[in-house]
């Protein structure tokens, strides 16, 4: 079994050696500058996320409020359908179990019985 390692060389730098050295010297200054920019962008994005979540929450609250209002409006109609009983609450329901037996068919058959073996 043979193994092969492929190596791709890096392209030559577009910066002069002096410029590369200057960048290496001032790397901390550059990193602080870009970290501050990254933090600003991160704060902006998190602010947008919070705003989006707040809007979604408001939309949900509006939807729930609308459906609660519709439920209250229909409560009287439901009570009328139940002959005036307000049984919207689950505790107020009364379960009744009724068994119904129904005879579907009666079949009489005369069977002859012989005692002879």
């Amino acid at each position: 079994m043979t193994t092969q390692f492929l190596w791709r060389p890096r392209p030559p730098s577009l910066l002069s050696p002096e410029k590369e050295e200057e960048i290496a010297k001032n790397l901390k200054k550059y990193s602080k500058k870009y970290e501050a920019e990254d933090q600003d962008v991160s704060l902006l994005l998190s602010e947008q996320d919070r705003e989006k979540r707040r809007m979604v929450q408001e939309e949900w609250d509006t939807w729930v409020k609308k459906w609660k209002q519709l439920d209250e409006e229909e409560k009287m109609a439901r009570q009328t359908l139940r002959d005036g009983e307000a049984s919207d609450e689950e505790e107020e329901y009364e379960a009744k179990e009724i068994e119904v037996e129904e005879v579907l068919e009666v079949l009489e058959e005369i069977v002859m019985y012989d005692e002879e073996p």
Side-chain angles (χ1 to χ4, degrees):
M1 178 176 162
T2 62
T3 58
Q4 183 179 14
F5 177 73
L6 297 175
W7 178 73
R8 186 175 64 175
R10 292 185 182 182
S13 175
L14 299 176
L15 299 174
S16 66
E18 295 84 24
K19 189 67 177 172
E20 284 182 15
E21 192 175 308
E22 179 188 336
I23 290 173
K25 259 187 190 176
N26 299 325
L27 192 59
K28 286 185 181 182
K29 181 177 83 173
Y30 290 129
S31 65
K32 285 181 185 179
K33 174 185 168 188
Y34 291 119
E35 282 176 10
E37 285 181 16
D38 288 346
Q39 188 176 9
D40 291 344
V41 169
S42 176
L43 288 174
L44 179 64
L45 290 175
S46 65
E47 179 73 28
Q48 289 172 348
D49 285 345
R50 281 195 297 272
E51 181 66 24
K52 184 178 179 181
R53 275 187 256 132
R54 186 187 61 76
M55 290 183 70
V56 168
Q57 181 68 41
E58 284 178 4
E59 188 177 316
W60 171 255
D61 291 341
T62 304
W63 185 84
V64 168
K65 184 178 177 182
K66 173 186 156 190
W67 283 103
K68 282 184 179 181
Q69 182 181 359
L70 285 172
D71 182 60
E72 285 297 317
E73 290 172 2
E74 293 173 352
K75 188 175 186 177
M76 293 301 290
R78 289 191 305 271
Q79 190 172 357
T80 304
L81 290 172
R82 294 184 190 114
D83 296 326
E85 289 191 34
S87 59
D88 277 350
E89 298 299 320
E90 210 172 293
E91 296 85 32
E92 295 178 13
Y93 287 121
E94 194 173 300
K96 296 180 182 177
E97 192 172 312
I98 301 172
E99 285 188 29
V100 177
E101 287 187 27
E102 189 175 331
V103 178
L104 298 177
E105 184 179 341
V106 175
L107 180 63
E108 288 188 27
E109 198 173 307
I110 300 174
V111 179
M112 298 301 287
Y113 182 68
D114 276 341
E115 287 192 22
E116 294 179 22

